[in-house]
C-alpha cells in the first residue's frame, strides 16, 4: 500500500531551489533510507512530509505530496502531525520526568485517565527499547539519562501519540555505537506497525536498516531502489561514488 505519493515536487527558500522535480513513493511498513551529501535536500524533503517547512517564511513549493491518497496541504495540520511524527538529530527531552515526557502528547490530546496514561507510557518505552532501563525511575528528570537514552525517550514520546509514520532526521548523529545499535534495533522492530523514513549521513546505517534507499544530490533524486541493489549495483555512477566515499 502506498503511504506517500510525491509527484513533481519542487521547493524553494526565497530564490534558492532546494528540491527539483522529486518523484517517489513510500510504502506502508517499510523503512526508506535517504542518503546524500550535505545540502542535497534530504532534510528539506523529510520536513515536507509533515509540513515543517511551512514554518519558514520564505518557503514555497510546487507539486503534489499525498498521504494515504489525500493532499497534505488540504489536511488539518494538527491531525497530520499527529499521524506523522518526527525524531530530530539531537535529543530534545522536555524539562520533565521520564514519565511526563512520554505522557505529554497524550495529555495534550485529552487523555487524563492515569491508568491509560501508564499503559501508553509503558508501551511506548517498550517500543523504543528503553523500558527495561528506566522502569524503576520513571519519575526522575529526563536530563539524567544518557544521550542515547534521551534519543530513545524522544522516540517513545513520538510513539505515544500513536502516529502512522515516524520521520527520523539523523537520529544517531551524536550517539555512540552501542546507542546507535539500540536505535536501529528499535527501528527494525517498529516497521512491523509503522512506516519509517530515515535521513542519514551514515551509509552503513542506511544499508543496515533500509528496505529501500534513495540517493539525493544537489536537490535532485538521483535514484531510488531496494537497498541491496543500491549498495551492490547502483544504476548511477554518482550513487556508486558517494557510497564508496569518493565525495560527500
Amino acid at each position: 500500500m502506498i503511504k506517500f505519493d510525491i509527484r513533481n515536487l519542487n521547493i524553494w527558500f526565497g530564490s534558492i531551489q532546494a528540491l527539483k522535480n522529486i518523484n517517489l513513493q513510500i510504502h506502508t511498513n517499510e523503512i526508506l533510507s535517504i542518503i546524500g551529501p550535505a545540502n542535497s535536500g534530504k532534510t528539506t524533503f523529510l520536513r515536507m512530509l509533515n509540513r515543517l517547512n511551512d514554518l519558514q517564511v520564505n518557503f514555497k513549493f510546487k507539486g503534489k505530496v499525498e498521504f494515504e491518497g489525500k493532499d497534505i496541504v488540504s489536511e488539518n495540520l494538527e491531525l497530520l502531525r499527529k499521524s506523522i511524527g518526527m525524531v530530530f538529530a539531537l535529543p530534545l527531552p522536555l524539562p520533565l520526568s521520564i514519565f511526563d515526557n512520554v505522557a505529554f502528547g497524550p495529555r495534550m490530546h485529552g487523555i487524563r485517565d492515569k491508568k491509560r496514561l501508564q499503559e501508553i507510557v509503558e508501551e511506548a518505552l517498550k517500543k523504543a527499547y528503553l523500558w527495561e532501563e528506566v522502569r524503576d525511575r520513571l519519575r526522575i528528570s529526563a536530563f539524567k539519562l544518557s544521550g542515547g537514552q534521551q534519543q530513545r525517550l524522544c522516540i517513545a514520546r513520538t510513539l505515544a501519540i500513536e502516529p502512522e509514520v515516524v520521520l527520523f532526521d539523523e537520529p544517531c548523529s551524536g550517539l555512540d555505537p552501542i546507542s546507535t545499535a539500540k536505535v536501529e534495533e528499535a527501528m527494525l522492530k517498529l516497521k512491523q506497525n509503522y512506516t519509517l523514513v530515515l535521513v542519514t549521513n551514515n551509509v552503513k546505517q542506511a544499508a543496515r536498516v533500509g528496505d529501500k534507499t534513495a540517493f539525493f544530490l544537489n536537490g535532485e533524486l538521483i535514484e531510488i531502489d531496494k537497498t541491496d541493489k543500491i549498495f551492490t549495483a547502483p544504476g548511477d555512477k554518482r550513487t556508486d561514488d558517494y557510497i564508496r566515499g569518493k565525495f560527500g
Side-chain angles (χ1 to χ4, degrees):
M1 177 180 172
I2 297 172
K3 202 64 150 179
F4 288 99
D5 190 8
I6 296 98
R7 302 191 299 274
N8 303 316
L9 176 64
N10 292 269
I11 290 179
W12 294 265
F13 295 99
S15 61
I16 298 172
Q17 187 167 4
L19 289 178
K20 305 168 187 175
N21 204 39
I22 304 298
N23 290 274
L24 63 85
Q25 294 177 334
I26 303 170
H27 292 82
T28 304
N29 302 120
E30 77 173 7
I31 301 178
L32 173 65
S33 296
I34 301 176
I35 60 173
N39 300 314
S40 59
K42 306 186 300 295
T43 295
T44 295
F45 174 79
L46 194 72
R47 291 167 65 91
M48 184 68 199
L49 299 181
N50 68 349
R51 293 180 54 189
L52 280 177
N53 289 323
D54 293 18
L55 299 173
Q56 301 284 338
V57 293
N58 59 352
F59 162 74
K60 62 179 181 179
F61 82 98
K62 289 183 180 179
K64 279 277 188 182
V65 178
E66 292 184 351
F67 173 61
E68 297 186 332
K70 298 178 181 178
D71 189 338
I72 63 169
V73 175
S74 62
E75 289 288 282
N76 177 281
L77 193 54
E78 182 179 346
L79 291 177
L80 181 74
R81 289 182 181 156
K82 184 179 185 298
S83 297
I84 307 170
M86 189 159 181
V87 178
F88 297 92
L90 295 177
L92 298 169
L94 301 170
L96 303 168
S97 70
I98 294 169
F99 183 94
D100 288 335
N101 261 269
V102 183
F104 183 84
R107 283 174 173 148
M108 290 291 288
H109 289 284
I111 297 176
R112 294 288 183 266
D113 182 77
K114 291 183 179 179
K115 183 179 179 181
R116 179 63 185 134
L117 285 171
Q118 180 68 43
E119 291 171 348
I120 291 171
V121 169
E122 181 175 341
E123 182 180 3
L125 288 169
K126 285 179 176 177
K127 287 179 177 178
Y129 279 66
L130 189 57
W131 173 251
E132 294 300 327
E133 297 170 41
V134 302
R135 60 187 301 174
D136 297 323
R137 29 184 203 139
L138 296 176
R139 298 300 175 182
I140 71 166
S141 169
F143 293 132
K144 292 188 177 180
L145 298 176
S146 69
Q149 289 173 326
Q150 287 184 16
Q151 189 62 295
R152 281 179 284 146
L153 177 66
C154 291
I155 293 172
R157 191 175 68 204
T158 299
L159 297 176
I161 61 171
E162 300 180 339
E164 297 177 46
V165 178
V166 183
L167 311 176
F168 292 89
D169 186 12
E170 290 287 343
C172 303
S173 61
L175 303 186
D176 61 81
I178 293 175
S179 296
T180 295
K182 289 183 177 179
V183 171
E184 291 176 4
E185 187 177 5
M187 288 182 191
L188 291 169
K189 190 74 173 177
L190 288 172
K191 78 169 183 176
Q192 296 176 18
N193 299 300
Y194 303 87
T195 300
L196 310 180
V197 186
L198 166 67
V199 163
T200 178
N201 286 327
N202 185 336
V203 294
K204 291 182 179 179
Q205 181 176 68
R208 286 192 296 265
V209 303
D211 297 297
K212 291 182 180 175
T213 296
F215 173 55
F216 279 60
L217 181 64
N218 296 327
E220 298 181 32
L221 172 61
I222 303 304
E223 64 179 305
I224 178 172
D225 212 324
K226 291 182 178 179
T227 294
D228 57 355
K229 187 174 186 303
I230 287 287
F231 280 87
T232 58
D236 192 290
K237 185 178 184 301
R238 291 169 292 180
T239 308
D240 189 52
D241 286 348
Y242 178 74
I243 289 170
R244 292 174 181 273
K246 293 184 177 180
F247 70 94

